[in-house]
Amino acid sequence: MSTMFEQMAKSPAVWLSGEGNESLVVLSTRVRLARNVAGCKFPSSANIDTRKRIISYIDSTVARSTMLADGMYLKASDINSLDKDFLIERHLISPSFLNGELAKSLYINNDERISIMVNEEDHLRIQSLAPGLDPEGAFQLAKQFDNEIGKYLEYSYDADFGFLTACPTNAGTGMRTSVLIHLPGLVLTREIEKVISHITRTGLVVRGFYGEGSDVLGNLFQISNQNTLGITEEEIINQIKKITYEIIEKEAASRDRLMNEAADMIEDKIWRAYGILKHARVLSSEEVMNLLSAVRLGHAMKIIQFLDTSLINEILLFSQPAHLQKYYSHEMDPNRRDFVRAQMVREKLREVEQK
């Protein structure tokens, strides 16, 4: 089994620390900047020599930059299937990044707040992650790395259209901002579809746990902007924050309604979920995510007071299939993973109860 990312697999991701604004509802914020090198075709239309030339430009940039020295730089061909899944689970790469031709590379800084995909849909996808609701902080960090790379490479930029991108919907700022938000109250009161419809009408988009094309798991939704052209970075940030605070208010109202109308049933659902996690001998990753959703709700509503958000997030991440295998340093078939996952969850909960 590959030992790549072994140390990373033993520690929770910084963006899931449980810190930051509104962390009881918003798990994390992501800002992604799409950039392309001037004079080179976009990856989808470029030949292999052009894509390799882009890699060589980034090789040189990483070697010369003191800022980029604080991180890990990898060629896609050195990343195996399990490591790919691990990076997807950690939200450091897109699910499609390592598909197809592997004239690609990846940069991850030491605290995992920044990852840069080279030759994905665009030459560069600079991604910043922050715990809680913090689009300003995530953008400022992404912009630092954007500016640093811009010292060594000329970006494809037009005075009228801004940053030019492979997909026209990303042109302009080239910026996508998203929040990962937990909305069990709206799901249980069956108001979620109405809220999603409202979000969509404002020009934002709602996706699943792993972003575009993924399913909603554990009542976790990604909300992001669609428009990047004719709008500034500050306006994108303000739009995301405004809508997120509106959703937080609606979620709070749904939780109040649940407690007013069905308190016993909600408390039973929460404690039942905790009891299964604490005692189960076999658990799938999807089951853990759904049970943790109820436990996270119980923690936020002060029904379960001895857990903290960081532990809930840690179990969420470590129970994912690739993380579980990296954590225990050996590959497992699905049946074995379900057994070991339940064991890991019991151990994590036992540790906190013994404190």
Side-chain angles (χ1 to χ4, degrees), residues 256-281:
D256 288 343
R257 178 184 159 193
L258 288 170
M259 291 306 292
N260 288 333
E261 297 179 4
D264 289 343
M265 291 180 64
I266 293 304
E267 289 191 21
D268 179 73
K269 180 180 179 65
I270 289 165
W271 284 111
R272 189 181 295 270
Y274 180 78
I276 293 171
L277 288 170
K278 183 180 175 183
H279 296 291
R281 264 44 187 176

mmCIF file with all atom_site columns, all heavy atoms in Angstrom, residues 256-281:
data_model
loop_
_atom_site.group_PDB
_atom_site.id
_atom_site.type_symbol
_atom_site.label_atom_id
_atom_site.label_alt_id
_atom_site.label_comp_id
_atom_site.label_asym_id
_atom_site.label_entity_id
_atom_site.label_seq_id
_atom_site.pdbx_PDB_ins_code
_atom_site.Cartn_x
_atom_site.Cartn_y
_atom_site.Cartn_z
_atom_site.occupancy
_atom_site.B_iso_or_equiv
_atom_site.pdbx_formal_charge
_atom_site.auth_seq_id
_atom_site.auth_comp_id
_atom_site.auth_asym_id
_atom_site.auth_atom_id
_atom_site.pdbx_PDB_model_num
ATOM 1   N N   . ASP A 1 256 ? -36.320 25.373 15.651 1.00 0.00 ? 256 ASP A N   1
ATOM 2   C CA  . ASP A 1 256 ? -37.250 25.806 16.702 1.00 0.00 ? 256 ASP A CA  1
ATOM 3   C C   . ASP A 1 256 ? -38.614 25.149 16.513 1.00 0.00 ? 256 ASP A C   1
ATOM 4   O O   . ASP A 1 256 ? -39.244 24.701 17.489 1.00 0.00 ? 256 ASP A O   1
ATOM 5   C CB  . ASP A 1 256 ? -37.401 27.333 16.673 1.00 0.00 ? 256 ASP A CB  1
ATOM 6   C CG  . ASP A 1 256 ? -36.161 28.051 17.190 1.00 0.00 ? 256 ASP A CG  1
ATOM 7   O OD1 . ASP A 1 256 ? -35.336 27.402 17.849 1.00 0.00 ? 256 ASP A OD1 1
ATOM 8   O OD2 . ASP A 1 256 ? -36.032 29.260 16.909 1.00 0.00 ? 256 ASP A OD2 1
ATOM 9   N N   . ARG A 1 257 ? -39.056 25.102 15.268 1.00 0.00 ? 257 ARG A N   1
ATOM 10  C CA  . ARG A 1 257 ? -40.351 24.480 14.979 1.00 0.00 ? 257 ARG A CA  1
ATOM 11  C C   . ARG A 1 257 ? -40.350 23.001 15.371 1.00 0.00 ? 257 ARG A C   1
ATOM 12  O O   . ARG A 1 257 ? -41.317 22.496 15.963 1.00 0.00 ? 257 ARG A O   1
ATOM 13  C CB  . ARG A 1 257 ? -40.665 24.638 13.490 1.00 0.00 ? 257 ARG A CB  1
ATOM 14  C CG  . ARG A 1 257 ? -41.963 23.983 13.053 1.00 0.00 ? 257 ARG A CG  1
ATOM 15  C CD  . ARG A 1 257 ? -42.160 24.107 11.557 1.00 0.00 ? 257 ARG A CD  1
ATOM 16  N NE  . ARG A 1 257 ? -43.086 23.096 11.067 1.00 0.00 ? 257 ARG A NE  1
ATOM 17  C CZ  . ARG A 1 257 ? -43.253 22.812 9.792  1.00 0.00 ? 257 ARG A CZ  1
ATOM 18  N NH1 . ARG A 1 257 ? -42.538 23.444 8.867  1.00 0.00 ? 257 ARG A NH1 1
ATOM 19  N NH2 . ARG A 1 257 ? -44.112 21.881 9.429  1.00 0.00 ? 257 ARG A NH2 1
ATOM 20  N N   . LEU A 1 258 ? -39.252 22.306 15.046 1.00 0.00 ? 258 LEU A N   1
ATOM 21  C CA  . LEU A 1 258 ? -39.153 20.889 15.396 1.00 0.00 ? 258 LEU A CA  1
ATOM 22  C C   . LEU A 1 258 ? -39.239 20.687 16.910 1.00 0.00 ? 258 LEU A C   1
ATOM 23  O O   . LEU A 1 258 ? -39.933 19.776 17.386 1.00 0.00 ? 258 LEU A O   1
ATOM 24  C CB  . LEU A 1 258 ? -37.839 20.309 14.864 1.00 0.00 ? 258 LEU A CB  1
ATOM 25  C CG  . LEU A 1 258 ? -37.748 20.120 13.353 1.00 0.00 ? 258 LEU A CG  1
ATOM 26  C CD1 . LEU A 1 258 ? -36.314 19.782 12.947 1.00 0.00 ? 258 LEU A CD1 1
ATOM 27  C CD2 . LEU A 1 258 ? -38.696 19.012 12.882 1.00 0.00 ? 258 LEU A CD2 1
ATOM 28  N N   . MET A 1 259 ? -38.553 21.526 17.657 1.00 0.00 ? 259 MET A N   1
ATOM 29  C CA  . MET A 1 259 ? -38.556 21.372 19.109 1.00 0.00 ? 259 MET A CA  1
ATOM 30  C C   . MET A 1 259 ? -39.906 21.762 19.711 1.00 0.00 ? 259 MET A C   1
ATOM 31  O O   . MET A 1 259 ? -40.326 21.205 20.731 1.00 0.00 ? 259 MET A O   1
ATOM 32  C CB  . MET A 1 259 ? -37.438 22.199 19.732 1.00 0.00 ? 259 MET A CB  1
ATOM 33  C CG  . MET A 1 259 ? -36.042 21.673 19.410 1.00 0.00 ? 259 MET A CG  1
ATOM 34  S SD  . MET A 1 259 ? -35.814 19.913 19.845 1.00 0.00 ? 259 MET A SD  1
ATOM 35  C CE  . MET A 1 259 ? -35.879 19.982 21.643 1.00 0.00 ? 259 MET A CE  1
ATOM 36  N N   . ASN A 1 260 ? -40.585 22.719 19.083 1.00 0.00 ? 260 ASN A N   1
ATOM 37  C CA  . ASN A 1 260 ? -41.897 23.127 19.591 1.00 0.00 ? 260 ASN A CA  1
ATOM 38  C C   . ASN A 1 260 ? -42.969 22.084 19.291 1.00 0.00 ? 260 ASN A C   1
ATOM 39  O O   . ASN A 1 260 ? -43.894 21.879 20.079 1.00 0.00 ? 260 ASN A O   1
ATOM 40  C CB  . ASN A 1 260 ? -42.307 24.471 18.973 1.00 0.00 ? 260 ASN A CB  1
ATOM 41  C CG  . ASN A 1 260 ? -41.487 25.627 19.526 1.00 0.00 ? 260 ASN A CG  1
ATOM 42  O OD1 . ASN A 1 260 ? -41.000 25.571 20.657 1.00 0.00 ? 260 ASN A OD1 1
ATOM 43  N ND2 . ASN A 1 260 ? -41.329 26.682 18.733 1.00 0.00 ? 260 ASN A ND2 1
ATOM 44  N N   . GLU A 1 261 ? -42.858 21.434 18.130 1.00 0.00 ? 261 GLU A N   1
ATOM 45  C CA  . GLU A 1 261 ? -43.924 20.532 17.685 1.00 0.00 ? 261 GLU A CA  1
ATOM 46  C C   . GLU A 1 261 ? -43.629 19.051 17.935 1.00 0.00 ? 261 GLU A C   1
ATOM 47  O O   . GLU A 1 261 ? -44.569 18.252 18.009 1.00 0.00 ? 261 GLU A O   1
ATOM 48  C CB  . GLU A 1 261 ? -44.180 20.750 16.180 1.00 0.00 ? 261 GLU A CB  1
ATOM 49  C CG  . GLU A 1 261 ? -44.685 22.156 15.850 1.00 0.00 ? 261 GLU A CG  1
ATOM 50  C CD  . GLU A 1 261 ? -44.908 22.356 14.363 1.00 0.00 ? 261 GLU A CD  1
ATOM 51  O OE1 . GLU A 1 261 ? -44.736 21.375 13.584 1.00 0.00 ? 261 GLU A OE1 1
ATOM 52  O OE2 . GLU A 1 261 ? -45.247 23.480 13.965 1.00 0.00 ? 261 GLU A OE2 1
ATOM 53  N N   . ALA A 1 262 ? -42.341 18.692 18.035 1.00 0.00 ? 262 ALA A N   1
ATOM 54  C CA  . ALA A 1 262 ? -42.024 17.258 18.141 1.00 0.00 ? 262 ALA A CA  1
ATOM 55  C C   . ALA A 1 262 ? -40.729 17.036 18.911 1.00 0.00 ? 262 ALA A C   1
ATOM 56  O O   . ALA A 1 262 ? -39.853 16.280 18.483 1.00 0.00 ? 262 ALA A O   1
ATOM 57  C CB  . ALA A 1 262 ? -41.920 16.647 16.743 1.00 0.00 ? 262 ALA A CB  1
ATOM 58  N N   . ALA A 1 263 ? -40.600 17.667 20.059 1.00 0.00 ? 263 ALA A N   1
ATOM 59  C CA  . ALA A 1 263 ? -39.353 17.622 20.822 1.00 0.00 ? 263 ALA A CA  1
ATOM 60  C C   . ALA A 1 263 ? -38.945 16.191 21.184 1.00 0.00 ? 263 ALA A C   1
ATOM 61  O O   . ALA A 1 263 ? -37.778 15.804 21.046 1.00 0.00 ? 263 ALA A O   1
ATOM 62  C CB  . ALA A 1 263 ? -39.469 18.478 22.078 1.00 0.00 ? 263 ALA A CB  1
ATOM 63  N N   . ASP A 1 264 ? -39.907 15.402 21.653 1.00 0.00 ? 264 ASP A N   1
ATOM 64  C CA  . ASP A 1 264 ? -39.587 14.030 22.071 1.00 0.00 ? 264 ASP A CA  1
ATOM 65  C C   . ASP A 1 264 ? -39.060 13.203 20.895 1.00 0.00 ? 264 ASP A C   1
ATOM 66  O O   . ASP A 1 264 ? -38.101 12.449 21.041 1.00 0.00 ? 264 ASP A O   1
ATOM 67  C CB  . ASP A 1 264 ? -40.816 13.353 22.665 1.00 0.00 ? 264 ASP A CB  1
ATOM 68  C CG  . ASP A 1 264 ? -41.190 13.931 24.026 1.00 0.00 ? 264 ASP A CG  1
ATOM 69  O OD1 . ASP A 1 264 ? -40.329 14.603 24.622 1.00 0.00 ? 264 ASP A OD1 1
ATOM 70  O OD2 . ASP A 1 264 ? -42.335 13.713 24.470 1.00 0.00 ? 264 ASP A OD2 1
ATOM 71  N N   . MET A 1 265 ? -39.682 13.347 19.749 1.00 0.00 ? 265 MET A N   1
ATOM 72  C CA  . MET A 1 265 ? -39.264 12.592 18.579 1.00 0.00 ? 265 MET A CA  1
ATOM 73  C C   . MET A 1 265 ? -37.873 13.025 18.106 1.00 0.00 ? 265 MET A C   1
ATOM 74  O O   . MET A 1 265 ? -37.061 12.190 17.700 1.00 0.00 ? 265 MET A O   1
ATOM 75  C CB  . MET A 1 265 ? -40.290 12.758 17.447 1.00 0.00 ? 265 MET A CB  1
ATOM 76  C CG  . MET A 1 265 ? -41.625 12.090 17.732 1.00 0.00 ? 265 MET A CG  1
ATOM 77  S SD  . MET A 1 265 ? -42.796 12.307 16.373 1.00 0.00 ? 265 MET A SD  1
ATOM 78  C CE  . MET A 1 265 ? -41.950 11.397 15.067 1.00 0.00 ? 265 MET A CE  1
ATOM 79  N N   . ILE A 1 266 ? -37.600 14.326 18.158 1.00 0.00 ? 266 ILE A N   1
ATOM 80  C CA  . ILE A 1 266 ? -36.292 14.833 17.728 1.00 0.00 ? 266 ILE A CA  1
ATOM 81  C C   . ILE A 1 266 ? -35.210 14.358 18.687 1.00 0.00 ? 266 ILE A C   1
ATOM 82  O O   . ILE A 1 266 ? -34.134 13.900 18.265 1.00 0.00 ? 266 ILE A O   1
ATOM 83  C CB  . ILE A 1 266 ? -36.312 16.368 17.638 1.00 0.00 ? 266 ILE A CB  1
ATOM 84  C CG1 . ILE A 1 266 ? -37.244 16.812 16.505 1.00 0.00 ? 266 ILE A CG1 1
ATOM 85  C CG2 . ILE A 1 266 ? -34.910 16.921 17.399 1.00 0.00 ? 266 ILE A CG2 1
ATOM 86  C CD1 . ILE A 1 266 ? -36.913 16.240 15.139 1.00 0.00 ? 266 ILE A CD1 1
ATOM 87  N N   . GLU A 1 267 ? -35.466 14.461 19.983 1.00 0.00 ? 267 GLU A N   1
ATOM 88  C CA  . GLU A 1 267 ? -34.468 13.995 20.954 1.00 0.00 ? 267 GLU A CA  1
ATOM 89  C C   . GLU A 1 267 ? -34.239 12.498 20.812 1.00 0.00 ? 267 GLU A C   1
ATOM 90  O O   . GLU A 1 267 ? -33.103 12.019 20.922 1.00 0.00 ? 267 GLU A O   1
ATOM 91  C CB  . GLU A 1 267 ? -34.912 14.347 22.369 1.00 0.00 ? 267 GLU A CB  1
ATOM 92  C CG  . GLU A 1 267 ? -34.837 15.844 22.663 1.00 0.00 ? 267 GLU A CG  1
ATOM 93  C CD  . GLU A 1 267 ? -35.031 16.152 24.137 1.00 0.00 ? 267 GLU A CD  1
ATOM 94  O OE1 . GLU A 1 267 ? -34.816 15.240 24.968 1.00 0.00 ? 267 GLU A OE1 1
ATOM 95  O OE2 . GLU A 1 267 ? -35.396 17.304 24.449 1.00 0.00 ? 267 GLU A OE2 1
ATOM 96  N N   . ASP A 1 268 ? -35.300 11.742 20.549 1.00 0.00 ? 268 ASP A N   1
ATOM 97  C CA  . ASP A 1 268 ? -35.144 10.300 20.332 1.00 0.00 ? 268 ASP A CA  1
ATOM 98  C C   . ASP A 1 268 ? -34.295 10.031 19.096 1.00 0.00 ? 268 ASP A C   1
ATOM 99  O O   . ASP A 1 268 ? -33.413 9.161  19.122 1.00 0.00 ? 268 ASP A O   1
ATOM 100 C CB  . ASP A 1 268 ? -36.510 9.646  20.176 1.00 0.00 ? 268 ASP A CB  1
ATOM 101 C CG  . ASP A 1 268 ? -36.394 8.149  19.916 1.00 0.00 ? 268 ASP A CG  1
ATOM 102 O OD1 . ASP A 1 268 ? -36.055 7.406  20.858 1.00 0.00 ? 268 ASP A OD1 1
ATOM 103 O OD2 . ASP A 1 268 ? -36.606 7.727  18.761 1.00 0.00 ? 268 ASP A OD2 1
ATOM 104 N N   . LYS A 1 269 ? -34.546 10.747 18.026 1.00 0.00 ? 269 LYS A N   1
ATOM 105 C CA  . LYS A 1 269 ? -33.775 10.579 16.783 1.00 0.00 ? 269 LYS A CA  1
ATOM 106 C C   . LYS A 1 269 ? -32.290 10.850 17.037 1.00 0.00 ? 269 LYS A C   1
ATOM 107 O O   . LYS A 1 269 ? -31.415 10.124 16.562 1.00 0.00 ? 269 LYS A O   1
ATOM 108 C CB  . LYS A 1 269 ? -34.312 11.532 15.711 1.00 0.00 ? 269 LYS A CB  1
ATOM 109 C CG  . LYS A 1 269 ? -33.589 11.450 14.367 1.00 0.00 ? 269 LYS A CG  1
ATOM 110 C CD  . LYS A 1 269 ? -34.190 12.444 13.376 1.00 0.00 ? 269 LYS A CD  1
ATOM 111 C CE  . LYS A 1 269 ? -33.476 12.394 12.041 1.00 0.00 ? 269 LYS A CE  1
ATOM 112 N NZ  . LYS A 1 269 ? -33.653 11.100 11.336 1.00 0.00 ? 269 LYS A NZ  1
ATOM 113 N N   . ILE A 1 270 ? -32.009 11.896 17.814 1.00 0.00 ? 270 ILE A N   1
ATOM 114 C CA  . ILE A 1 270 ? -30.622 12.284 18.095 1.00 0.00 ? 270 ILE A CA  1
ATOM 115 C C   . ILE A 1 270 ? -29.928 11.233 18.967 1.00 0.00 ? 270 ILE A C   1
ATOM 116 O O   . ILE A 1 270 ? -28.826 10.781 18.649 1.00 0.00 ? 270 ILE A O   1
ATOM 117 C CB  . ILE A 1 270 ? -30.603 13.676 18.769 1.00 0.00 ? 270 ILE A CB  1
ATOM 118 C CG1 . ILE A 1 270 ? -30.977 14.751 17.738 1.00 0.00 ? 270 ILE A CG1 1
ATOM 119 C CG2 . ILE A 1 270 ? -29.241 13.963 19.397 1.00 0.00 ? 270 ILE A CG2 1
ATOM 120 C CD1 . ILE A 1 270 ? -31.330 16.093 18.337 1.00 0.00 ? 270 ILE A CD1 1
ATOM 121 N N   . TRP A 1 271 ? -30.572 10.852 20.067 1.00 0.00 ? 271 TRP A N   1
ATOM 122 C CA  . TRP A 1 271 ? -29.950 9.876  20.969 1.00 0.00 ? 271 TRP A CA  1
ATOM 123 C C   . TRP A 1 271 ? -29.892 8.483  20.347 1.00 0.00 ? 271 TRP A C   1
ATOM 124 O O   . TRP A 1 271 ? -28.949 7.725  20.591 1.00 0.00 ? 271 TRP A O   1
ATOM 125 C CB  . TRP A 1 271 ? -30.688 9.839  22.299 1.00 0.00 ? 271 TRP A CB  1
ATOM 126 C CG  . TRP A 1 271 ? -30.367 11.013 23.170 1.00 0.00 ? 271 TRP A CG  1
ATOM 127 C CD1 . TRP A 1 271 ? -31.198 12.033 23.517 1.00 0.00 ? 271 TRP A CD1 1
ATOM 128 C CD2 . TRP A 1 271 ? -29.106 11.309 23.779 1.00 0.00 ? 271 TRP A CD2 1
ATOM 129 N NE1 . TRP A 1 271 ? -30.541 12.936 24.305 1.00 0.00 ? 271 TRP A NE1 1
ATOM 130 C CE2 . TRP A 1 271 ? -29.257 12.521 24.492 1.00 0.00 ? 271 TRP A CE2 1
ATOM 131 C CE3 . TRP A 1 271 ? -27.867 10.677 23.797 1.00 0.00 ? 271 TRP A CE3 1
ATOM 132 C CZ2 . TRP A 1 271 ? -28.216 13.104 25.203 1.00 0.00 ? 271 TRP A CZ2 1
ATOM 133 C CZ3 . TRP A 1 271 ? -26.815 11.251 24.502 1.00 0.00 ? 271 TRP A CZ3 1
ATOM 134 C CH2 . TRP A 1 271 ? -26.991 12.450 25.197 1.00 0.00 ? 271 TRP A CH2 1
ATOM 135 N N   . ARG A 1 272 ? -30.869 8.150  19.527 1.00 0.00 ? 272 ARG A N   1
ATOM 136 C CA  . ARG A 1 272 ? -30.844 6.868  18.831 1.00 0.00 ? 272 ARG A CA  1
ATOM 137 C C   . ARG A 1 272 ? -29.639 6.813  17.870 1.00 0.00 ? 272 ARG A C   1
ATOM 138 O O   . ARG A 1 272 ? -28.938 5.805  17.801 1.00 0.00 ? 272 ARG A O   1
ATOM 139 C CB  . ARG A 1 272 ? -32.150 6.663  18.066 1.00 0.00 ? 272 ARG A CB  1
ATOM 140 C CG  . ARG A 1 272 ? -32.333 5.268  17.471 1.00 0.00 ? 272 ARG A CG  1
ATOM 141 C CD  . ARG A 1 272 ? -33.665 5.227  16.718 1.00 0.00 ? 272 ARG A CD  1
ATOM 142 N NE  . ARG A 1 272 ? -34.798 5.387  17.621 1.00 0.00 ? 272 ARG A NE  1
ATOM 143 C CZ  . ARG A 1 272 ? -35.416 4.381  18.221 1.00 0.00 ? 272 ARG A CZ  1
ATOM 144 N NH1 . ARG A 1 272 ? -35.013 3.141  18.016 1.00 0.00 ? 272 ARG A NH1 1
ATOM 145 N NH2 . ARG A 1 272 ? -36.440 4.603  19.026 1.00 0.00 ? 272 ARG A NH2 1
ATOM 146 N N   . ALA A 1 273 ? -29.405 7.923  17.172 1.00 0.00 ? 273 ALA A N   1
ATOM 147 C CA  . ALA A 1 273 ? -28.256 7.994  16.254 1.00 0.00 ? 273 ALA A CA  1
ATOM 148 C C   . ALA A 1 273 ? -26.945 7.845  17.030 1.00 0.00 ? 273 ALA A C   1
ATOM 149 O O   . ALA A 1 273 ? -26.036 7.112  16.616 1.00 0.00 ? 273 ALA A O   1
ATOM 150 C CB  . ALA A 1 273 ? -28.276 9.318  15.492 1.00 0.00 ? 273 ALA A CB  1
ATOM 151 N N   . TYR A 1 274 ? -26.868 8.537  18.169 1.00 0.00 ? 274 TYR A N   1
ATOM 152 C CA  . TYR A 1 274 ? -25.650 8.433  18.983 1.00 0.00 ? 274 TYR A CA  1
ATOM 153 C C   . TYR A 1 274 ? -25.464 7.001  19.486 1.00 0.00 ? 274 TYR A C   1
ATOM 154 O O   . TYR A 1 274 ? -24.340 6.461  19.483 1.00 0.00 ? 274 TYR A O   1
ATOM 155 C CB  . TYR A 1 274 ? -25.718 9.407  20.164 1.00 0.00 ? 274 TYR A CB  1
ATOM 156 C CG  . TYR A 1 274 ? -24.480 9.332  21.039 1.00 0.00 ? 274 TYR A CG  1
ATOM 157 C CD1 . TYR A 1 274 ? -23.300 9.936  20.652 1.00 0.00 ? 274 TYR A CD1 1
ATOM 158 C CD2 . TYR A 1 274 ? -24.499 8.614  22.243 1.00 0.00 ? 274 TYR A CD2 1
ATOM 159 C CE1 . TYR A 1 274 ? -22.157 9.860  21.435 1.00 0.00 ? 274 TYR A CE1 1
ATOM 160 C CE2 . TYR A 1 274 ? -23.368 8.516  23.028 1.00 0.00 ? 274 TYR A CE2 1
ATOM 161 C CZ  . TYR A 1 274 ? -22.199 9.150  22.615 1.00 0.00 ? 274 TYR A CZ  1
ATOM 162 O OH  . TYR A 1 274 ? -21.060 9.043  23.386 1.00 0.00 ? 274 TYR A OH  1
ATOM 163 N N   . GLY A 1 275 ? -26.550 6.375  19.911 1.00 0.00 ? 275 GLY A N   1
ATOM 164 C CA  . GLY A 1 275 ? -26.459 5.007  20.421 1.00 0.00 ? 275 GLY A CA  1
ATOM 165 C C   . GLY A 1 275 ? -25.989 4.029  19.356 1.00 0.00 ? 275 GLY A C   1
ATOM 166 O O   . GLY A 1 275 ? -25.178 3.132  19.629 1.00 0.00 ? 275 GLY A O   1
ATOM 167 N N   . ILE A 1 276 ? -26.458 4.196  18.133 1.00 0.00 ? 276 ILE A N   1
ATOM 168 C CA  . ILE A 1 276 ? -26.013 3.306  17.052 1.00 0.00 ? 276 ILE A CA  1
ATOM 169 C C   . ILE A 1 276 ? -24.524 3.511  16.780 1.00 0.00 ? 276 ILE A C   1
ATOM 170 O O   . ILE A 1 276 ? -23.759 2.547  16.651 1.00 0.00 ? 276 ILE A O   1
ATOM 171 C CB  . ILE A 1 276 ? -26.843 3.552  15.777 1.00 0.00 ? 276 ILE A CB  1
ATOM 172 C CG1 . ILE A 1 276 ? -28.293 3.127  15.999 1.00 0.00 ? 276 ILE A CG1 1
ATOM 173 C CG2 . ILE A 1 276 ? -26.242 2.788  14.590 1.00 0.00 ? 276 ILE A CG2 1
ATOM 174 C CD1 . ILE A 1 276 ? -29.236 3.527  14.867 1.00 0.00 ? 276 ILE A CD1 1
ATOM 175 N N   . LEU A 1 277 ? -24.105 4.766  16.696 1.00 0.00 ? 277 LEU A N   1
ATOM 176 C CA  . LEU A 1 277 ? -22.683 5.044  16.457 1.00 0.00 ? 277 LEU A CA  1
ATOM 177 C C   . LEU A 1 277 ? -21.812 4.473  17.584 1.00 0.00 ? 277 LEU A C   1
ATOM 178 O O   . LEU A 1 277 ? -20.723 3.955  17.332 1.00 0.00 ? 277 LEU A O   1
ATOM 179 C CB  . LEU A 1 277 ? -22.457 6.553  16.350 1.00 0.00 ? 277 LEU A CB  1
ATOM 180 C CG  . LEU A 1 277 ? -22.977 7.237  15.084 1.00 0.00 ? 277 LEU A CG  1
ATOM 181 C CD1 . LEU A 1 277 ? -22.909 8.756  15.232 1.00 0.00 ? 277 LEU A CD1 1
ATOM 182 C CD2 . LEU A 1 277 ? -22.187 6.792  13.855 1.00 0.00 ? 277 LEU A CD2 1
ATOM 183 N N   . LYS A 1 278 ? -22.296 4.560  18.798 1.00 0.00 ? 278 LYS A N   1
ATOM 184 C CA  . LYS A 1 278 ? -21.514 4.128  19.966 1.00 0.00 ? 278 LYS A CA  1
ATOM 185 C C   . LYS A 1 278 ? -21.414 2.605  20.060 1.00 0.00 ? 278 LYS A C   1
ATOM 186 O O   . LYS A 1 278 ? -20.412 2.074  20.557 1.00 0.00 ? 278 LYS A O   1
ATOM 187 C CB  . LYS A 1 278 ? -22.147 4.687  21.231 1.00 0.00 ? 278 LYS A CB  1
ATOM 188 C CG  . LYS A 1 278 ? -21.376 4.363  22.502 1.00 0.00 ? 278 LYS A CG  1
ATOM 189 C CD  . LYS A 1 278 ? -22.070 4.961  23.716 1.00 0.00 ? 278 LYS A CD  1
ATOM 190 C CE  . LYS A 1 278 ? -21.367 4.548  25.003 1.00 0.00 ? 278 LYS A CE  1
ATOM 191 N NZ  . LYS A 1 278 ? -22.074 5.072  26.208 1.00 0.00 ? 278 LYS A NZ  1
ATOM 192 N N   . HIS A 1 279 ? -22.425 1.892  19.563 1.00 0.00 ? 279 HIS A N   1
ATOM 193 C CA  . HIS A 1 279 ? -22.472 0.445  19.807 1.00 0.00 ? 279 HIS A CA  1
ATOM 194 C C   . HIS A 1 279 ? -22.439 -0.427 18.547 1.00 0.00 ? 279 HIS A C   1
ATOM 195 O O   . HIS A 1 279 ? -22.224 -1.641 18.669 1.00 0.00 ? 279 HIS A O   1
ATOM 196 C CB  . HIS A 1 279 ? -23.724 0.096  20.614 1.00 0.00 ? 279 HIS A CB  1
ATOM 197 C CG  . HIS A 1 279 ? -23.733 0.701  21.982 1.00 0.00 ? 279 HIS A CG  1
ATOM 198 N ND1 . HIS A 1 279 ? -22.868 0.297  22.985 1.00 0.00 ? 279 HIS A ND1 1
ATOM 199 C CD2 . HIS A 1 279 ? -24.485 1.713  22.510 1.00 0.00 ? 279 HIS A CD2 1
ATOM 200 C CE1 . HIS A 1 279 ? -23.104 1.013  24.079 1.00 0.00 ? 279 HIS A CE1 1
ATOM 201 N NE2 . HIS A 1 279 ? -24.076 1.881  23.813 1.00 0.00 ? 279 HIS A NE2 1
ATOM 202 N N   . ALA A 1 280 ? -22.677 0.149  17.385 1.00 0.00 ? 280 ALA A N   1
ATOM 203 C CA  . ALA A 1 280 ? -22.772 -0.674 16.166 1.00 0.00 ? 280 ALA A CA  1
ATOM 204 C C   . ALA A 1 280 ? -21.471 -1.401 15.868 1.00 0.00 ? 280 ALA A C   1
ATOM 205 O O   . ALA A 1 280 ? -20.377 -0.906 16.159 1.00 0.00 ? 280 ALA A O   1
ATOM 206 C CB  . ALA A 1 280 ? -23.168 0.198  14.981 1.00 0.00 ? 280 ALA A CB  1
ATOM 207 N N   . ARG A 1 281 ? -21.571 -2.572 15.277 1.00 0.00 ? 281 ARG A N   1
ATOM 208 C CA  . ARG A 1 281 ? -20.409 -3.383 14.884 1.00 0.00 ? 281 ARG A CA  1
ATOM 209 C C   . ARG A 1 281 ? -20.135 -3.305 13.388 1.00 0.00 ? 281 ARG A C   1
ATOM 210 O O   . ARG A 1 281 ? -19.061 -3.696 12.940 1.00 0.00 ? 281 ARG A O   1
ATOM 211 C CB  . ARG A 1 281 ? -20.626 -4.842 15.288 1.00 0.00 ? 281 ARG A CB  1
ATOM 212 C CG  . ARG A 1 281 ? -20.015 -5.265 16.622 1.00 0.00 ? 281 ARG A CG  1
ATOM 213 C CD  . ARG A 1 281 ? -20.223 -4.280 17.730 1.00 0.00 ? 281 ARG A CD  1
ATOM 214 N NE  . ARG A 1 281 ? -19.482 -4.652 18.940 1.00 0.00 ? 281 ARG A NE  1
ATOM 215 C CZ  . ARG A 1 281 ? -19.423 -3.917 20.036 1.00 0.00 ? 281 ARG A CZ  1
ATOM 216 N NH1 . ARG A 1 281 ? -20.066 -2.752 20.089 1.00 0.00 ? 281 ARG A NH1 1
ATOM 217 N NH2 . ARG A 1 281 ? -18.731 -4.308 21.087 1.00 0.00 ? 281 ARG A NH2 1
#
